[in-house]
Amino acid sequence: GQSEAFELTVWNRSPGKCPALPDTVTRASSAAAAVDSADVAIVMLTATKDVLDVVSEPAVAKALEAAGTTVVSLVSASIKEAEEQQRDLAAVLGGDKDRVLSGPMLCPPPGLRAAGQCLTYIGSTENAFDGVGGDVLRALGRPGAAVGRECGPGRSHRHTW
C-alpha cells in the first residue's frame, strides 16, 4: 500500500546533536516554531517532566492552542507517570483530553532488538487515537490491538515500530 506523506518540522534542544536532515525536513529554531500551525506534535524527551516543561512554555502552549494541535508524547516512563502526564498535558491544552496521546516507549537495547520490536503503549481518548494523532502513529509503525482508551494497565493501544 501507499504510505501517507506528512510535512515534517523538527526541533532539538541540543541542535548540535541533530544530524543532517533531508531537504524535505524543516529544522525549526525553537519549540514554538516547530509546533506553529502543526496538526500533530510528537514530543520525545527523556522524562515526562521535560515534556511538560517544553509544552508549558508560553510561546509553545500558545502555538499549540492556536492551531488545535494534538500532542503525542513518547517517553520512557512508568504507566503511572504516563497517566499523570496525559492529565497534565490536557490541562495545558485547555482540558481537551481528545488532543493528547501519551505513553511509555518500551524498547530493548539496540543489540537485542529486531526491526519492529520497539513498543509504545499509547493512552488516549477514543477520539484522540482515532483522529490525526492516531493517523501519524499508524504511519510510523504497525498498530497493535487496542486494549483500552486511557493510560494505565489494560487501558492503552499497543503500537509496534
Side-chain angles (χ1 to χ4, degrees), residues 48 75 77-90 97 100 102-104 121 123-124 150-156:
T48 57
V75 297
S78 69
I79 295 294
K80 182 177 179 355
E81 291 169 324
E83 279 182 319
E84 291 168 357
Q85 182 184 52
Q86 187 176 17
R87 180 197 65 231
D88 293 344
L89 288 174
K97 286 184 169 185
V100 177
S102 176
Y121 288 86
S124 69
E150 297 198 26
C151 286
R155 295 180 295 163
S156 58

Side-chain angles (χ1 to χ4, degrees), residues 25 43 58-59 72 82 92 99 111 156:
V25 177
V43 185
V72 179
V92 171
R99 291 178 37 218
S156 58

Side-chain angles (χ1 to χ4, degrees), residues 128-142:
F129 194 80
D130 291 342
V132 68
D135 292 344
V136 169
L137 288 173
R138 282 185 283 279
L140 291 174
R142 291 189 320 257

